[in-house]
Amino acid sequence: MPRCDFCGKNVLLPFHCQYCGKNFCDEHRLPPNHACAGLAAWKKTPAPGVGIRYGPGGATPYGGGYTAAPKGKKPGRVPIWNHPYFRIAVVVVGLLFLIFLFLILTGCMQPAGDTAAGTVTASATPEPGTPAATVTVTSATPAETPPTVQTPDRARQMVTAAAPAYSITPVPGKLSDDPYTISPASLAGRAHDLVNANRAANGLAPLSLDPALAALAFNHSTDMAENNYFSHTNLAGKDPTARGNASGYTCIKDYGSYYTFGIAENIFQNNLYTSVTDTNGVYSYAWSTQEAIAQSTVTGWMDSAGHRKNILTTTFGSEGIGVAIASDDKVYITEDFC
């Protein structure tokens, strides 16, 4: 530890004298207190100034006393545009304006009075002679999830796909008005046939129908229909693989240098009708046939890159499809692969 060159005291942070070049403690840091060899030079050095204060007494030679105030100017007054807070306010306002402009240009905000995309406003009691308002239902809402892929070192990489939100809540129809009989089991079988037709068109072997996967898919479709949600993850937080594990079904495929673990899944939210028309409070529905629902479902999957990839994966050998119809006429279709 350094020592004071005058008294020998240990000093953690000594003071260095620029006039004699030695180190001293706090008590002997000034040249007069340690018999500095450069004491004469220290005495000739002006004392440091402490800023200029305005007043009537003039200024000292060291700039630390008083000086007369400039005429026509009050001491300490700074123009508002030179004030630091004013400049900060200008920057903040500018940033807010740029953010607002960005939101307008990117379509994230709409002027008041505009109708948001996907929303249809219809009068419940139209004027006589006015055409009835028609609300079109978005019936193609697919979502897919791939299996968990295992790398050669068998480290699991979970892959999750977010399901898009349903854009329009349709008016529930009267099933007594539906001229078509929709059987969930028959609809699932037809969707299975259409999936295999698409695989055959792409030179792939057909998928076998696995009753365990079909039961898993049916349970998930029923859960979505009864609890009004649309997602690969159920309300208990379980994805397709976790739901399969809970029911005793696991899907592991070993390819030597790597293996896959998990169940791939496509889901689709369809509807029993494509549109509903309100004519002076009387609703009429454009009901869909079972074939139309099956065709639109599989076509929707094939037109989506992720769903198409699941359907045309060569290593999948089996699938199960489950269908459930909700009380609001939505048709939930789940397709699980292994």
Side-chain angles (χ1 to χ4, degrees):
M1 181 178 292
R3 293 177 177 271
C4 176
D5 289 332
F6 185 77
C7 66
K9 179 181 177 181
N10 290 331
V11 184
L12 181 61
L13 295 174
F15 292 90
H16 181 76
C17 179
Q18 62 179 343
Y19 297 97
C20 64
K22 297 181 180 181
N23 298 319
F24 302 96
C25 63
D26 183 56
E27 182 181 356
H28 300 109
R29 63 186 179 86
L30 295 178
N33 296 341
H34 62 255
C36 182
L39 183 60
W42 176 78
K43 290 182 178 181
K44 293 181 180 180
T45 304
V50 293
I52 297 177
R53 292 183 293 170
Y54 292 102
T60 69
Y62 309 119
Y66 294 86
T67 184
K71 293 182 178 181
K73 180 179 180 181
K74 294 183 179 180
R77 283 293 180 89
V78 179
I80 189 172
W81 51 87
N82 288 333
H83 200 285
Y85 290 114
F86 177 80
R87 296 178 181 179
I88 293 174
V90 170
V91 172
V92 171
V93 171
L95 289 175
L96 292 176
F97 175 78
L98 291 177
I99 292 173
F100 178 79
L101 185 62
F102 174 80
L103 294 175
I104 289 293
L105 294 179
T106 55
C108 295
M109 295 179 62
Q110 294 183 347
D114 286 354
T115 302
T119 302
V120 180
T121 303
S123 173
T125 55
E127 297 275 334
T130 303
T134 300
V135 181
T136 301
V137 178
T138 302
S139 60
T141 313
E144 86 291 339
T145 182
T148 303
V149 178
Q150 302 301 319
T151 56
D153 60 0
R154 308 219 169 194
R156 297 182 180 181
Q157 301 174 356
M158 298 302 295
V159 183
T160 305
Y166 196 77
S167 58
I168 297 177
T169 302
V171 180
K174 296 179 180 179
L175 294 181
S176 58
D177 296 336
D178 188 353
Y180 308 109
T181 300
I182 307 297
S183 166
S186 178
L187 178 57
R190 179 54 180 156
H192 173 69
D193 293 340
L194 292 174
V195 167
N196 278 335
N198 279 278
R199 285 178 64 90
N202 286 272
L204 301 178
L207 297 172
S208 63
L209 188 59
D210 188 331
L213 281 176
L216 185 68
F218 174 74
N219 289 339
H220 187 55
S221 292
T222 302
D223 190 39
M224 290 191 293
E226 291 178 348
N227 294 287
N228 191 29
Y229 73 94
F230 182 68
S231 173
H232 295 290
T233 303
N234 64 15
L235 300 182
K238 294 182 179 180
D239 62 8
T241 300
R243 285 186 269 112
N245 292 339
S247 66
Y249 187 97
T250 57
C251 180
I252 301 177
K253 292 181 177 292
D254 198 333
Y255 303 100
S257 60
Y258 73 99
Y259 73 98
T260 60
F261 174 86
I263 298 173
E265 182 174 86
N266 289 348
I267 59 177
F268 200 95
Q269 183 179 289
N270 217 312
N271 209 69
L272 291 179
Y273 49 84
T274 58
S275 65
V276 54
T277 302
D278 178 6
T279 306
N280 296 326
V282 178
Y283 295 98
S284 58
Y285 306 88
W287 298 97
S288 295
T289 63
Q290 180 170 288
E291 179 66 18
I293 295 175
Q295 290 281 355
S296 62
T297 297
V298 177
T299 299
W301 281 337
M302 291 299 295
D303 288 343
S304 171
H307 304 86
R308 180 185 180 91
K309 181 178 179 181
N310 279 346
I311 291 175
L312 300 182
T313 295
T314 57
T315 55
F316 292 155
S318 60
E319 75 164 0
I321 298 179
V323 178
I325 301 175
S327 59
D328 59 359
D329 303 334
K330 294 175 185 175
V331 180
Y332 293 87
I333 305 173
T334 302
E335 179 183 28
D336 288 332
F337 302 87
C338 181

